[in-house]
Each structure stands twice: as C-alpha cells, then as structure tokens.
C-alpha cells in the first residue's frame, strides 16, 4: 500500500534513494484500477440486486467480496490526487486513517472471503451429502458476518498506526507508522501476515489439493458431483489460485522482506533500495484483485454472465420486458415486485 517511505525511517534517509517514479507510476496504475474496478464491481452488485431468486451461498460470499472491492475502489481518487501532488496529503487526518483502513479491509477481507468460497466448494465436491446441513444460506450469512468481524478486529490497530504528520514542510499520510512506532508496527504486521494471509492460504491449499484429488477420479467424481459442478469447481480453483499467485503472494513476500530490512539494525543501502523498489512496484498490483474478483462471480454460475449481458443489451437498446412478445410483460412485472 501507499507509504511515505522517504520520510518514515532513518535507514531511508541515510541511504538517500529517490522515489520520484511513484508520482507517475502509482497515479497511473491506481487510475486504471479505478476506471476498471468501479464499473465492474458496480455492475455485479446491480445484477445481483436484480436477481429474482434467493441468493445462493456462493452469491452471498461473492457479493460481500464486491462490496469490499467497491469500498476500496472509492478511496482510490484520494490516492491518485496525493501521488499526483508528490505524496502531499490534503484530505485531513480522518480520511488518512480511513483510506489506509479500507485498503487492508479489502485485502484481508478478500482473502478470508475467498477462503470461505473455497471451503464451501470443497464441501460440495468432496462431501456433497454430509455437508448439506452446513451449505445453507444461514451458514453463509454467518460466515460473512464472522469474516467482517474478524477483519475489523484484526485491523483496528491500523487506525492507530496510520496518521498524518508534517514532514519537510508538507503533510504526509503514513501507511505503516511514524518512525518512533515502527518497531511495534513491524511486530503487528508480521502477526497480521500470519493470521490474515498465511493461515487462510494454507486452508485454501489443503481444500484445493483434496478437491483436485477427488476431481481427477473422473468417473467417480462425475457421478457424485456432476459435470456442471465439476467444471465450476475447476474454474474456481484456477481463478482463485491465479488471484493468489498474481496479487496476494508477491505482495506479502515483498512487503515482509522490505519491512524486515527496515527493522534490522544493519543497513545495506543497495539491498534496501531494491527491496523498496520491488515492494512499491508490486503494491498497486495487489489492487488488481478488485478487477479480477468480478470474473469469479461470472464463472461461479452458468447463467450469471448470460443474464447480465441480456439485461445490458435490453437497457442499451431501450428494450424492456413490457415490449417483448408473449408472456414477457407479466414476467417483467414479477421481476420488479420480487426484487
């Protein structure tokens, strides 16, 4: 995430490496993510709201994922303006803490919700009958509520560590913490990485390993799971693994390595510069999950994509259910009333 690194540690000041690239690189990448993430997540939420049927367990998890993405995407204009101004923060203390908090809420909320989706899919594939009492909308709602509660509890310290400060004559917004609190922040960050990333990743890895073993038994899995559910499970495995490989794993590796170098008493300016550059170059890419998560929604159900394209086509052409043939006018009225 965004950090005023040239001002936050003695190591950085003594090494004297430039970070002018952030003004262009971060402004540009966050602008692209905002332009893609806002319509994609907004469209998914709009489509989910218009569904006539009750949401399935998977839809409940995915809609919460879209909400987390949308909350973060709405903070990106603040970051784009800040980096365009050269790390100057003009929005005050409250928005500084809120923007940092929402970034990590999206990050670790996404990871935990993807874990819930993976466990739900694992139960459906490996234990389809025994898990029926647990794969209900009630349990899905409880799971999402527990996820949000756990994420908020984990991230409350970020509201303390993140704050504004006057550095070299301009107001900055710390992403990690001020230099005097960095040691405490480092310990907190390592604990958060273990609880918010490493442990959920292990759960997902175990679930998918068992799913792959079950799905490779072609005849047995086709009979027990069904070809449609099997294809859906394979798509979920590939997309979630791709998300973790592209977004979450590199970010946490780079971030942990960079923070560790800053924490150690010995200073290697060249290594610190490389670690800082790698971390900051990868930082915006973790936000790509905001653009990729909607793809998971479309692939989670066979009719989601078709239904959405049909609705967009009707709206674009000015067609409404009332103008269709046959029984479409009555169906359109039921669609609105049942929403």
């Amino acid at each position: 995430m965004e950090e005023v690194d040239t001002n936050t540690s003695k190591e950085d000041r003594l090494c004297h490496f430039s970070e002018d690239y952030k003004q262009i690189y971060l402004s540009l990448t966050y602008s692209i993510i905002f332009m893609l993430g806002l319509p994609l997540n907004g469209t998914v939420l709009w489509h989910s709201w218009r569904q006539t049927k009750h949401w399935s367990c998977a839809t409940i998890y995915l809609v919460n994922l879209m909400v987390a993405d949308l909350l973060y995407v709405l903070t990106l204009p603040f970051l784009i303006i800040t980096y365009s101004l050269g790390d100057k923060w003009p929005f005050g203390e409250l928005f500084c803490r809120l923007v940092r908090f929402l970034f990590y809420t999206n990050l670790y909320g996404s990871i935990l919700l993807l874990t819930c989706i993976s466990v739900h899919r694992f139960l459906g594939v490996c234990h389809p009958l025994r898990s029926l009492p647990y794969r209900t909308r009630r349990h899905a709602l409880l799971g999402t509520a527990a996820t949000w509660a756990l994420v908020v509890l984990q991230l409350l310290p970020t509201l303390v560590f993140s704050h504004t400060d006057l550095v070299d004559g301009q107001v900055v917004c710390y992403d990690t913490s001020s230099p005097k609190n960095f040691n405490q922040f480092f310990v907190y960050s390592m604990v958060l990485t273990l609880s918010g990333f490493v442990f959920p990743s292990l759960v997902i890895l175990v679930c998918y390993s068992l799913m792959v073993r079950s799905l490779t038994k072609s005849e047995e899995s086709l009979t027990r799971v069904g070809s449609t559910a099997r294809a859906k499970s394979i798509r979920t495995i590939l997309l979630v693994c791709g998300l973790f490989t592209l977004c979450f794993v590199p970010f946490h590796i780079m971030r942990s390595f960079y923070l560790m170098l800053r924490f150690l008493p010995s200073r290697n300016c060249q290594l610190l510069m490389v670690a800082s550059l790698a971390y900051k170059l990868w930082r915006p890419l973790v936000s790509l999950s905001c653009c990729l998560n909607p793809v998971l929604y479309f692939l989670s159900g066979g009719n989601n994509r078709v239904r959405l394209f049909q609705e967009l086509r009707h709206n674009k052409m000015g067609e409404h259910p009332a103008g269709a043939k046959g029984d479409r006018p009555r169906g359109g009225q039921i669609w609105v009333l049942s929403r």
Side-chain angles (χ1 to χ4, degrees), residues 37 86 90 92 112 132 176 180 187 218-219 237 248 250 252 278 290 325 328:
L112 286 180
L132 277 177
T176 55
K180 64 180 180 180
V187 175
S218 55
E219 301 227 350
I237 292 173
F248 302 137
H252 283 91
C290 296
K325 297 180 181 180
R328 290 293 295 277

Side-chain angles (χ1 to χ4, degrees), residues 58-332:
T59 302
I60 291 173
Y61 291 126
L62 288 167
V63 166
N64 277 269
L65 195 59
M66 301 307 111
V67 170
D69 289 342
L70 198 59
L71 287 175
Y72 170 62
V73 167
L74 292 175
T75 68
L76 289 180
F78 298 98
L79 302 176
I80 295 167
I81 294 173
T82 296
Y83 283 113
S84 300
L85 297 175
D87 277 338
K88 182 180 179 181
W89 182 263
F91 302 109
E93 180 78 20
L94 177 61
F95 274 100
C96 171
R97 297 177 189 268
L98 182 62
V99 167
R100 305 312 189 187
F101 177 78
L102 287 178
F103 167 77
Y104 290 106
T105 299
N106 167 256
L107 174 60
Y108 292 107
S110 296
I111 292 173
L112 286 180
L113 287 168
L114 289 171
T115 305
C116 292
I117 293 171
S118 303
V119 171
H120 177 79
R121 183 65 63 194
F122 159 74
L123 292 175
V125 170
C126 298
H127 305 285
L129 296 179
R130 283 189 296 173
S131 64
L132 277 177
Y134 305 102
R135 290 186 291 119
T136 63
R137 295 178 68 251
R138 178 175 176 272
H139 283 87
L141 291 171
L142 289 175
T144 53
T147 294
W148 285 112
L150 180 59
V151 168
V152 169
L153 287 175
Q154 284 182 311
L155 296 178
L156 284 177
T158 63
L159 295 173
V160 177
F161 285 117
S162 300
H163 61 89
T164 58
D165 199 0
L166 191 64
V167 178
D168 295 336
Q170 71 176 24
V171 177
V172 297
C173 176
Y174 290 115
D175 172 57
T176 55
S177 70
S178 58
K180 64 180 180 180
N181 296 323
F182 179 77
N183 289 347
Q184 295 91 326
F185 175 81
F186 174 77
V187 175
Y188 163 70
S189 178
M190 294 299 106
V191 173
L192 181 61
T193 299
L194 289 173
S195 63
F197 170 70
V198 175
F199 178 70
S201 299
L202 291 176
V203 172
I204 291 175
L205 184 61
V206 170
C207 288
Y208 285 169
S209 298
L210 295 174
M211 285 172 63
V212 168
R213 189 178 68 175
S214 176
L215 292 171
T216 50
K217 300 175 183 177
S218 55
E219 301 227 350
E220 180 183 347
S221 64
L222 273 174
T223 303
R224 184 177 59 185
V225 179
S227 58
T228 303
R230 185 187 185 198
K232 190 187 298 184
S233 300
I234 292 173
R235 291 196 299 263
T236 302
I237 292 173
L238 292 176
L239 187 58
V240 173
C241 289
L243 268 173
F244 270 75
T245 302
L246 176 64
C247 300
F248 302 137
V249 174
F251 171 81
H252 283 91
I253 291 176
M254 301 294 184
R255 176 179 167 83
S256 298
F257 181 58
Y258 170 67
L259 294 178
M260 194 172 297
L261 287 178
R262 288 183 56 190
F263 179 75
L264 295 175
S266 58
R267 300 186 184 95
N268 184 324
C269 286
Q270 187 173 3
L271 185 60
L272 183 62
M273 180 182 67
V274 171
S276 174
L277 179 64
Y279 167 52
K280 295 178 184 74
L281 287 178
W282 210 274
R283 221 161 39 187
L285 298 183
V286 74
S287 303
L288 278 177
S289 62
C290 296
C291 304
L292 297 177
N293 284 333
V295 180
L296 185 62
Y297 173 84
F298 294 127
L299 296 182
S300 66
N303 296 324
N304 283 341
R305 180 175 53 189
V306 176
R307 263 182 272 166
L308 176 61
F309 287 162
Q310 286 176 343
E311 291 180 27
L312 291 176
R313 181 173 172 271
H314 287 322
N315 289 341
K316 182 178 180 181
M317 297 178 63
E319 298 177 8
H320 300 284
K325 297 180 181 180
D327 296 330
R328 290 293 295 277
R330 187 174 301 172

